[in-house]
Amino acid sequence: MSAEECVQQQKRRKRIWRSGEFDADPFGLPQHVAIKAVNPVERAFGFIRYATVYADAVTAYDSSPILGRFEWSEKMSAYDGVALRILPCDRQAKKFVAIVELSHRANEARNLVVYAGEDGVDASARWRAWGRVLRLPLLIEDREGTLHPAERRLGALHVSDPQPHAGANPLSARRPLTFGQSGQPRLWARRLVVGDRPLAY
């Protein structure tokens, strides 16, 4: 197996969600969450993440009865966005769960799940609500496990599809009212004879 195939296989190998369902409310900040570790090694040591989500930062500590307590904090600006992922609950992938996660820019170990549930509609609503409250971009995971922006943006502005222009009314042979309130035909006699510009221009 080549190195490229190994990378592709690792991308397709999604992590397994074993921490059950929970729902943190984005409209009641600060929110406190407690999540059991998903990584098998950390889970074996009994790690539980206790985190508090504020509008501008996350403070947390990872606690293990064997290895002790590890505290950390991050500003909200360190996160790329709010990601929506679909993860299997077991290796057989018989059951799936939708999770909403704060995706860290440089350190995946500091990603923070704020919602987990089987209801896709509820997950979508929570995903958008967390993005709006924290003012973070919305991200979505593809089948290979890569995150992509869910919305097109130009800086802080949302970019939507171009809308059709309001054309002239063929029944009245007039210019659209959005061009001006002249109330005159497009080619009127005064413009042709005198050379004046109509009021709409």
Side-chain angles (χ1 to χ4, degrees):
M1 183 181 293
S2 65
E4 186 176 344
E5 290 175 347
C6 289
V7 171
Q8 291 294 331
Q9 187 175 4
Q10 287 178 357
K11 281 186 177 179
R12 293 192 186 96
R13 189 185 300 138
K14 289 188 177 182
R15 68 181 196 259
I16 297 173
W17 182 256
R18 297 187 177 95
S19 296
E21 297 186 9
F22 70 93
D23 183 10
D25 183 7
F27 300 109
L29 298 180
Q31 280 292 305
H32 307 282
V33 295
I35 310 163
K36 293 182 179 178
V38 176
N39 183 294
V41 176
E42 294 178 352
R43 198 174 181 87
F45 283 102
F47 271 102
I48 299 177
R49 172 163 293 176
Y50 299 94
T52 304
V53 183
Y54 300 92
D56 59 348
V58 173
T59 61
Y61 64 90
D62 300 325
S63 179
S64 165
I66 302 173
L67 300 180
R69 172 171 165 157
F70 302 89
E71 297 186 12
W72 57 271
S73 64
E74 286 287 355
K75 292 182 178 179
M76 201 57 68
S77 58
Y79 289 89
D80 277 328
V82 181
L84 178 63
R85 304 177 188 265
I86 306 298
L87 300 181
C89 296
D90 52 34
R91 293 194 179 279
Q92 290 73 31
K94 294 180 180 178
K95 183 179 176 183
F96 289 87
V97 65
I99 70 165
V100 176
E101 181 178 54
L102 306 185
S103 178
H104 196 276
R105 180 174 293 112
N107 188 356
E108 288 187 2
R110 296 197 173 179
N111 289 357
L112 181 65
V113 178
V114 291
Y115 172 88
E118 296 182 33
D119 188 347
V121 175
D122 197 23
S124 176
R126 281 303 193 208
W127 174 51
R128 294 186 181 279
W130 276 106
R132 187 166 58 251
V133 169
L134 299 180
R135 298 179 182 178
L136 290 174
L138 298 177
L139 307 173
I140 192 163
E141 185 182 55
D142 62 17
R143 291 187 177 186
E144 283 72 33
T146 306
L147 291 175
H148 301 278
E151 300 172 325
R152 290 179 295 173
R153 285 177 173 261
L154 182 62
L157 301 176
H158 293 276
V159 179
S160 60
D161 294 328
Q163 300 298 313
H165 194 275
N169 186 346
L171 300 178
S172 64
R174 295 187 180 192
R175 304 178 67 228
L177 292 178
T178 53
F179 284 5
Q181 300 290 339
S182 69
Q184 298 291 339
R186 194 176 190 88
L187 296 175
W188 57 322
R190 182 181 166 197
R191 180 182 179 192
L192 294 176
V193 176
V194 183
D196 290 347
R197 298 173 66 185
L199 298 177
Y201 289 86

